[in-house]
């Protein structure tokens, strides 16, 4: 690895303004006219900039039988549109997929290892499954791809869910043990470790409006109702899961779990550790808006925690205009398949915010758009990258851009309908077809320049 923590902190500290999450600073950020500054001197990105695509185990591997999600997707009255099934069979086809990414010109791959496979029963660690992820890492290295590994991307072992998931204080030690065992087996091949993917999502649910939801119920309410129903159906009074659990209890344990897992990882192998954060580009609407409140509520504690880390992963897809609550996209705005606004400028704004609030290097660990029209993905990527370049030109320490996603995959409750991939997957034959956006982004990656 070419970086050490002190070097990162020193560079990052230059940009830390030492201010808390404040409405006015953020309001200015949100309103910042993108692309209005002087033209950038060069279109080049810094040397060793990471260019990659991302996946998450459950969304692409298929047959994640021991995970909590497998149950959730099949429960009566499930909120999932369809079950994940074979997904993209990336579990078997990973070599072909990683080779494709390298052939396109990329130099990084972000993926997650699946706790439900590695520890399918409490205390039993499967050497065979660890060996599987080792083989994936080896292919990355063979093809010159820097591997960024997420240890927990939403899904959990079933047994962990049955004992209350993150609501149970024992989760802290159990997660740290899993991270330690995995690092002992895989750590020599991991370049960047993220403990959690988007641990702030349950809080974000309070602020997201969900078309078609029962009146007065936010997404968090819907999730809580699912948890209650599942407990009854499974006759499991403690059953909980990341997306449907008690957000408050879970956050406290997850924050401790991150800290404990980080030292477990680092004492096993000194690799850069952080987590990735779900961020919307929050823009205040009206004088009595709750923009600052939302930011303090959703990101505040995590941004604060990230100050101790080696990097922060920024993940963003759209903006959110906030009055008392989030308001719908402007009339006539282009919408993505997810129902939210096509707004690539959100990336520049959230990168600036994360860098300013944490003072640590930023890696864009997810950014993308759900669309059937690949020309819109091309447009989205170009505009998002122009924003990243402006951040770099302003001296912000951005280390990479990892696109979501490598493949069209299982988009959680929305099933296989939304198309986020750079590559399409025929789910009958598992045949992959590269989209023009993949070729375009691969060329940028190869040139390290826009
Ligand atoms: C998650 C991914 C998801 C993507 C697109 C992120 O919130 O990390 O798992 O597929 O957004 O919605």
């Amino acid at each position: 690895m070419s970086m050490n923590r002190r070097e990162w902190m020193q560079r990052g500290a230059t940009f830390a303004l030492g201010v808390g999450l404040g409405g006015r600073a953020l309001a200015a950020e949100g309103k910042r006219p993108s692309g209005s500054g002087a033209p950038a001197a060069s279109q080049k990105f810094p040397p060793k900039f990471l260019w990659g695509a991302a996946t998450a185990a459950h969304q692409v591997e298929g047959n994640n039988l021991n995970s909590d999600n497998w149950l959730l997707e099949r429960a009566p009255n499930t909120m999932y549109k369809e079950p994940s099934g074979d997904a993209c069979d990336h579990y078997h086809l990973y070599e072909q997929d990683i080779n494709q990414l390298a052939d396109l010109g990329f130099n990084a791959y972000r993926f997650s290892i699946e706790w439900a496979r590695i520890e399918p029963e409490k205390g039993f660690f499967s050497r065979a499954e660890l060996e599987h992820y080792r083989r994936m890492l080896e292919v990355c290295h063979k093809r010159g791809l820097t591997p960024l590994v997420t240890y927990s991307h939403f899904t959990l072992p079933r047994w962990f869910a049955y004992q209350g998931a993150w609501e149970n204080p024992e989760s802290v030690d159990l997660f740290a043990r899993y991270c330690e065992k995995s690092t002992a087996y895989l750590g020599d091949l991991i370049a960047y470790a993220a403990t959690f993917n988007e641990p702030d999502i349950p809080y974000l649910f309070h602020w997201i409006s969900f078309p078609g939801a029962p009146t007065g119920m936010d997404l968090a309410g819907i999730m809580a109702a699912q948890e209650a129903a599942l407990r009854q159906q499974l006759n499991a009074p403690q059953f909980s899961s990341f997306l449907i659990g008690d957000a408050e209890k879970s956050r406290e344990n997850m924050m401790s779990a991150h800290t404990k897992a980080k030292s477990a990882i680092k004492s096993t192998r000194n690799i850069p550790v952080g987590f990735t954060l779900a961020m919307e580009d929050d823009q205040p609407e009206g004088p009595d808006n709750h923009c600052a409140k939302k930011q303090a509520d959703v990101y505040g504690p995590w941004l604060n925690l990230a100050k101790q880390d080696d990097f922060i992963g920024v993940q963003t897809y759209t903006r959110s205009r906030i009055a008392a609550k989030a308001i719908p996209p402007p009339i006539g705005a282009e919408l993505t398949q997810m129902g939210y606004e096509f707004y690539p400028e959100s990336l520049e704004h959230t990168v600036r915010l994360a860098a300013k609030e944490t003072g640590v290097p930023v890696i864009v660990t997810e950014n993308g758009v759900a669309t059937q029209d690949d020309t819109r993905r091309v447009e989205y990527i170009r505009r998002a990258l122009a924003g990243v370049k402006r951040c770099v030109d302003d001296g912000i320490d951005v280390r990479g851009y990892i696109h979501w996603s490598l493949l069209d995959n299982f988009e959680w409750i929305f099933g296989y309908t939304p198309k986020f991939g750079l590559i399409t997957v025929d789910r009958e034959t598992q045949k992959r077809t590269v989209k023009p956006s993949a070729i375009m982004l691969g060329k940028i990656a190869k040139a390290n320049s826009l």
Side-chain angles (χ1 to χ4, degrees):
M1 241 83 50
S2 55
M3 72 277 329
N4 66 47
R5 187 164 187 273
R6 194 168 357 110
E7 202 180 292
W8 282 25
M9 295 303 284
Q10 277 166 353
R11 292 193 63 184
T14 320
F15 311 110
L17 300 184
V19 292
L21 278 168
R24 248 186 264 143
L26 297 170
E29 202 69 59
K31 288 255 151 88
R32 189 177 192 280
S34 300
S36 58
S42 140
Q43 295 302 309
K44 276 266 173 205
F45 278 75
K48 298 197 180 149
F49 197 79
L50 297 169
W51 294 100
T55 58
H58 188 78
Q59 294 177 269
V60 291
E61 285 182 345
N63 299 299
N64 192 10
L65 305 180
N66 289 313
S67 69
D68 57 348
N69 244 79
W70 194 263
L71 275 182
L72 297 176
E73 291 159 19
R74 278 149 205 279
N77 307 320
T78 179
M79 56 185 177
Y80 283 77
K81 187 175 171 233
E82 56 191 320
S84 51
D86 282 343
C88 308
D89 198 17
H90 187 63
Y91 188 81
H92 297 104
L93 302 178
Y94 67 88
E95 186 160 7
Q96 169 189 329
D97 293 334
I98 295 171
N99 278 331
Q100 181 64 264
L101 189 62
D103 289 346
L104 283 164
F106 291 83
N107 65 15
Y109 182 38
R110 172 178 180 247
F111 64 97
S112 71
I113 55 174
E114 181 56 63
W115 188 3
R117 289 188 195 274
I118 294 174
E119 192 181 0
E121 292 294 339
K122 191 174 183 178
F124 167 71
F125 288 86
S126 165
R127 213 185 149 92
E129 294 292 358
L130 285 165
E131 196 52 48
H132 167 79
Y133 291 115
R134 210 173 155 82
R135 285 194 291 270
M136 283 183 76
L137 288 161
E138 279 165 357
V139 177
C140 289
H141 284 281
K142 196 165 115 203
R143 295 305 316 269
L145 296 170
T146 298
L148 297 92
V149 171
T150 312
Y151 284 60
S152 174
H153 194 124
F154 298 168
T155 43
L156 300 167
R158 274 187 201 209
W159 59 263
F160 186 81
Y162 271 96
Q163 62 157 67
W166 300 110
E167 293 175 32
N168 183 337
E170 200 197 356
S171 58
V172 177
D173 287 342
L174 291 170
F175 182 65
R177 180 176 70 173
Y178 151 69
C179 290
E180 187 182 333
K181 299 261 187 210
S182 302
T183 310
Y185 209 87
L186 308 170
D188 56 323
L189 299 180
I190 296 176
Y192 295 85
T195 53
F196 292 125
N197 179 72
E198 301 188 340
D200 59 327
I201 276 266
Y203 271 74
L204 198 56
F205 286 163
H206 287 285
W207 293 88
I208 295 178
S209 47
F210 193 53
T215 321
M217 229 196 214
D218 61 13
L219 201 42
I222 297 171
M223 298 290 174
Q226 275 278 314
E227 184 182 64
L230 267 161
R231 284 179 170 181
Q232 211 172 16
Q233 281 155 12
L234 300 170
N235 193 20
Q238 288 182 306
F239 189 91
S240 179
S241 180
F242 171 63
L243 294 172
I244 61 174
D246 177 315
E248 221 170 304
K249 277 193 210 158
S250 299
R251 177 155 83 186
E252 212 182 301
N253 289 325
M254 286 184 86
M255 289 181 75
S256 308
H258 169 72
T259 305
K260 192 152 190 177
K262 183 171 67 176
S263 29
I265 293 170
K266 282 192 165 291
S267 58
T268 313
R269 194 96 203 171
N270 192 21
I271 38 185
V273 181
F275 56 81
T276 74
L277 207 60
M279 300 182 82
E280 292 182 305
D281 177 9
D282 302 309
Q283 303 187 359
E285 287 289 329
D288 300 322
N289 69 79
H290 288 176
C291 198
K293 191 167 165 227
K294 174 198 170 178
Q295 297 198 320
D297 182 41
V298 179
Y299 324 126
W302 290 104
L303 288 172
N304 203 28
L305 192 64
K307 289 177 185 163
Q308 315 300 320
D309 288 349
D310 299 315
F311 69 93
I312 180 158
V314 167
Q315 311 197 157
T316 196
Y317 290 87
T318 191
R319 69 169 166 173
S320 178
R321 300 181 310 141
I322 318 252
K325 293 179 109 186
I327 59 173
I331 293 166
E334 177 179 352
L335 302 182
T336 72
Q337 280 183 309
M338 300 295 281
Y340 49 62
E341 193 179 347
F342 181 97
Y343 195 81
E345 286 67 34
S346 63
L347 186 55
E348 174 178 2
H349 302 158
T350 48
V351 165
R352 287 184 188 278
L353 176 64
K356 185 178 76 174
E357 296 297 334
T358 64
V360 297
V362 170
I363 303 174
V364 177
T365 39
E366 278 184 30
N367 177 245
V369 59
T371 176
Q372 279 282 24
D373 178 355
D374 196 54
T375 63
R376 300 311 294 150
R377 192 177 339 275
V378 168
E379 168 76 5
Y380 188 97
I381 294 173
R382 287 202 185 285
R383 278 163 55 185
L385 287 181
V388 175
K389 186 63 171 58
R390 285 190 288 273
C391 293
V392 169
D393 290 341
D394 284 348
I396 296 175
D397 191 0
V398 190
R399 300 289 172 102
Y401 175 85
I402 314 286
H403 190 76
W404 184 270
S405 181
L406 176 62
L407 305 169
D408 284 340
N409 63 45
F410 180 69
E411 179 54 29
W412 307 110
I413 59 175
F414 302 96
Y416 288 98
T417 307
K419 306 294 182 205
F420 276 99
L422 295 169
I423 295 175
T424 56
V425 177
D426 178 324
R427 297 203 48 256
E428 286 298 311
T429 61
Q430 294 294 351
K431 185 176 177 310
R432 273 68 166 147
T433 308
V434 168
K435 301 182 192 177
S437 55
I439 294 168
M440 184 272 299
L441 185 53
K443 276 192 188 149
I444 292 175
K446 224 186 225 163
N448 197 29
S449 179
L450 291 179

